[in-house]
Amino acid sequence: MRVTRGLVACVAVASVLTTAACTGDSSDPAPPEPSPSSTAPPDKLTFGVVGPRDVQRAFRATVDAWNLNPDTIDVTIQSWPTQAAMRSAIEQGTPVPDVFMSSRSDLAWLLENQYNQPVDELLDERGVEFGDTYSRDALEALSADDHLQCMPYGVTPTVIYYNKRLVNFNRMRNRGLDVPDEDATSWSFDQFTTAAEFASRPARGSKGVDIAATVQGLAPFIRSGGGTVFDDEDKPTSLAFSSDSSKDALERTLELLRNPQVTLDETQLDEASAVRWFLRGKLGMIAGDRSLTPVLRQKSNLDFDVMPMPKLDGASTVGDVTSLCMSAKTASPSLAADFMVHEVSADWVGLVASTGYLQPANVEVALSDDFLQPGRRPEHSTFFNSSVRSMSVPPLIDTLPELEETVAPSLRQLVYGVGVLDLDALTTQIDDESKPVLDPESASDTASPSESPSE
């Protein structure tokens, strides 16, 4: 049934494009001379996809449906398991596919290397409804230089996954503990702390929660408590962990995260990842996005659900936006845009979303059963959608992995350190460590003594 619906949509789109091509304004000036690369249509297009096997199979089905139409140019798939693997292949010389998946975190890299071209005008000409179908935040996240650089495809807000046997709200409620109401759409950090303490059962070897000791892991709590992660959201020169508002948020958060009775310690994390502890039924809560859902579903006896990130003051979470981009060197931007319209249609996004890994940026599909999947865990998939409204993305820079690596030892000390915490000194150290990564020129000027003027 899905393939039939998709083919109908594909034929309809092809019909619209054919009609549009025959109704051009004859008063337009003569077209510019074609570039050598566009004198003839290409024999085929390439489509670069990223994801686990189930996702790759779903994308292959969308491409097979496209290729069934004899009036469309054939598309072949190139696939990689991760975004990092695709980026590495391109950096090593693999040609950029005509249309390819990318994450917003790699947009600075794409722009710097001129790997992509804007898609807003091409897709607008083809009737793609940006404003009604996609959140403004997703569109803004993929915009630069006054153009939409790539088309939103998925979003990845971080939520809290919890083990319903360890974090049993009904039992907690019966004991008079502070828990969210049954129909609650948010919860406080105090309620989150209570749940973590309840799930920590030394006799059973379980711990309550794990939050990654990373910039991204701590960012939702800093923002929720009124702090800021970077000194500037557009062009940061430093982290802002040592600002008064950020320190206040961290102090409240670390009271829980530094409690070794409730959280996994470094020895346990050296033994196994937090996800592995959760799969074993030995961890009450873990932060993650939608892509974690199919992984947890593989454990048939694991009863889990999701809640939004807890609130210190206001709602806040972090995430990324995945997208479809167009190569700057595609031989036919027009044909590539036609294929992009096919791929972002509700039917085909729904097919990919049905694998469980993808949270669609398309609002229509995000509200459909393809994504919500009633009757399957997690029960409250709607919290993925509501979390998009409070999701922030990092600044548009290409040094975030290097930043995380640079401040990692200090962040581990912040979260896992024992003894008295000197929050002022450690947050200042973290900010100082970030400066050579985020603003290397200023850091170099500060580190080097000024030269005396030559005589």
Side-chain angles (χ1 to χ4, degrees), residues 10-66:
C10 179
V11 172
V13 170
S15 175
V16 170
L17 293 175
T18 302
T19 302
C22 296
T23 58
D25 188 347
S26 60
S27 64
D28 288 345
E33 294 184 8
S35 62
S37 62
S38 60
T39 54
D43 295 330
K44 64 180 180 180
L45 294 175
T46 53
F47 181 30
V49 302
V50 173
R53 290 182 180 178
D54 287 348
V55 171
Q56 292 183 21
R57 279 194 290 266
F59 273 118
R60 193 168 298 280
T62 72
V63 170
D64 288 344
W66 168 268

Side-chain angles (χ1 to χ4, degrees), residues 323-350:
S323 62
L324 296 186
C325 305
M326 184 185 299
S327 170
K329 295 184 178 181
T330 183
S332 176
S334 177
L335 293 175
D338 292 347
F339 176 69
M340 288 183 71
V341 170
H342 168 83
E343 285 299 311
V344 300
S345 66
D347 279 329
W348 299 123
V349 175

Side-chain angles (χ1 to χ4, degrees), residues 337-417:
D338 292 347
F339 176 69
M340 288 183 71
V341 170
H342 168 83
E343 285 299 311
V344 300
S345 66
D347 279 329
W348 299 123
V349 175
L351 177 62
V352 179
S354 69
T355 65
Y357 289 92
L358 173 76
Q359 179 172 348
N362 183 310
V363 176
E364 175 189 345
V365 183
L367 296 175
S368 73
D369 287 351
D370 284 325
F371 172 67
L372 296 177
Q373 301 181 343
R376 303 194 69 186
R377 297 171 184 144
E379 179 182 353
H380 291 93
S381 286
T382 53
F383 288 146
F384 289 107
N385 289 331
S386 60
S387 294
V388 174
R389 293 192 293 270
S390 58
M391 186 184 82
S392 61
V393 294
L396 195 60
I397 55 177
D398 194 34
T399 54
L400 291 175
E402 183 183 353
L403 174 66
E404 290 280 15
E405 183 179 357
T406 299
V407 300
S410 296
L411 289 181
R412 286 196 295 268
Q413 178 65 23
L414 186 71
V415 176
Y416 303 118

Side-chain angles (χ1 to χ4, degrees), residues 165-199:
R165 293 175 181 170
L166 294 177
V167 181
N168 189 315
F169 288 130
N170 289 330
R171 289 178 57 193
M172 295 167 65
R173 193 174 291 111
N174 292 336
R175 294 188 186 185
L177 298 176
D178 182 19
V179 298
D181 295 334
E182 292 186 20
D183 58 350
T185 57
S186 64
W187 57 338
S188 69
F189 189 80
D190 287 342
Q191 292 171 332
F192 177 66
T193 298
T194 298
E197 293 171 346
F198 186 83

Side-chain angles (χ1 to χ4, degrees), residues 193-212:
T193 298
T194 298
E197 293 171 346
F198 186 83
S200 301
R201 304 175 186 178
R204 297 185 181 182
S206 67
K207 292 292 185 71
V209 65
D210 179 79
I211 298 296

Side-chain angles (χ1 to χ4, degrees), residues 70-88:
D71 295 327
T72 60
I73 188 170
D74 277 355
V75 173
T76 60
I77 279 187
Q78 296 173 287
S79 59
W80 293 271
T82 65
Q83 182 73 28
M86 185 187 75
R87 174 168 170 166
S88 176

